[in-house]
DNA sequence: GCGGGCTTGTGAATGATTTCACAAGGTAAC
DNA sequence: GTTACCTTGTGAAATCATTCACAAGCCCGC
């Protein structure tokens, strides 16, 4: 981005929308990468972080639900760029099964367990209606998936060994709504 | 959901995936809605919250960017259900302009300012590549939008009077990646 | 109307996160 | 080599958020 060989915590903070102290504290959690008086070597820091975050390797991902959100996820370049490969898309609706999303064939949700055993995906993205989400999470967890990113607007429970994160777009809009109502106060 | 007329903080917590103390603390920020010994009246609480969060009224939304994510957002029922109405979708690409997404015609990004002046949308959803995001945010802010939900994977800056929230799906995956790498520790 | 059993609302305690502030270490110019 | 100047890494302080715990209030049965 810049021609710099090296970058200071302050510059990183400006780029990331945070503070220099925050950046240094965060990085110090993993170790000490910088040189005092100079800053951080861009290339060394970048590869250390890739290593630490596990972005060097390829992660296989299955998408459960081929509706609007599932389709958008399947086609999202941001994932591929970071080493996340969509190895399967699943849906319940016969009308969708057999179609393709960005080169991946939509398979029947009944194949989920057997496919997971075979493909051993690391991550499952849940993009189904709220009512169906917990059931499908239980199924993918039982089949061996250990990391889940949930897009259904409902809280889910998983065993302790499984990592779950949720993205709730409707909630984000409600927060904006609240901010608008209370704007002038 | 239940036939109850009234609901306790504990039940709300279970549904929302949190704790009863948390629920009570959060609600107490807005006022005091419950009856001791009994709980909260479902209908009264529901309408109070709708009022406070501004969900009673309709909010007009424009979507900037008619790519994968923009299209998914335009078609997302979760928004309409909560009173958010998509009044415009904009793109730069002539191949997309003129097409329709869920009944809304995709318009040329050059019309953005004049349309915003006319339609007075309350919220803009930014669904363009990272490089273009700041420029478009500046444009919609200048045209009068005061609340922005950003889906581009980049930090943005807005004037203080504007509320900005960001959803970063790639970052969510990176966090999962880190969790997987450090699973057994 | 009184007592037992719930549940709220909220201070106080605890825990987590962010910011401050500065010694220690490094660069670069002379 | 020495000096002037930067920037990191990190304890300590401050801020923010969550959890605890309990008095106060309300319902209901008798």
């Amino acid at each position: 981005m810049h021609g710099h060989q090296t970058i200071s915590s302050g510059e990183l903070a400006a780029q990331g929308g945070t503070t220099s102290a925050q950046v240094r504290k965060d990085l110090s959690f993993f170790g000490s990468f910088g040189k005092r008086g100079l800053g951080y070597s861009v290339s060394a820091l970048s590869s250390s972080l890739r290593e630490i975050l596990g972005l060097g390797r390829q992660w296989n991902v299955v998408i459960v639900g081929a509706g609007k959100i599932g389709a958008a996820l399947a086609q999202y370049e941001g994932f591929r760029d970071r080493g996340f490969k969509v190895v399967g898309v699943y849906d319940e609706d016969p009308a969708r099964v057999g179609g393709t999303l960005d080169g991946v064939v939509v398979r029947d949700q009944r194949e989920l367990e057997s496919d997971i055993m075979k493909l051993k995906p690391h991550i499952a993205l849940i993009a189904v209606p709220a009512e169906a989400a917990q059931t499908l999470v239980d199924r993918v967890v039982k089949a061996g998936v250990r990391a889940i990113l949930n897009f259904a607007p409902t809280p889910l429970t998983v065993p302790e060994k499984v990592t779950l994160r949720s993205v709730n777009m409707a909630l984000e809009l409600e927060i904006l709504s609240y901010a608008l109502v209370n704007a002038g106060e």
Side-chain angles (χ1 to χ4, degrees), chain A residues 105-179:
Chain A
V105 176
V106 177
R107 290 171 61 78
D108 194 299
Q109 222 160 72
R110 281 172 296 198
E111 320 268 16
L112 200 49
E113 282 83 356
S114 58
D115 278 14
I116 288 176
M117 306 284 192
K118 200 166 54 194
L119 299 168
K120 299 232 178 295
H122 306 95
I123 301 173
L125 308 188
I126 302 295
V128 298
E131 313 80 64
Q134 183 67 60
T135 305
L136 283 159
V137 165
D138 292 345
R139 286 176 60 191
V140 300
V141 166
K142 196 161 179 199
V145 172
R146 298 280 277 277
I148 292 172
L149 185 53
N150 169 46
F151 289 84
T154 182
L156 299 173
T157 60
V158 293
E160 208 180 340
K161 63 171 199 265
V162 177
T163 304
L164 167 72
R165 295 192 60 86
S166 287
V167 172
N168 189 335
M169 294 182 296
L171 181 59
E172 297 291 338
L173 273 192
E174 288 177 9
I175 293 169
L176 285 182
S177 171
Y178 175 70

Side-chain angles (χ1 to χ4, degrees), chain A residues 45-77:
Chain A
L45 181 60
S46 161
S47 71
S48 293
L49 283 182
R50 283 179 64 80
E51 180 70 24
I52 290 165
L53 294 175
L55 301 178
R57 31 182 310 189
Q58 178 183 291
W59 298 104
N60 292 334
V61 174
V62 293
I63 297 175
V64 183
K68 318 289 164 55
I69 294 178
L73 294 173
Q75 296 169 40
Y76 184 48
E77 290 95 350

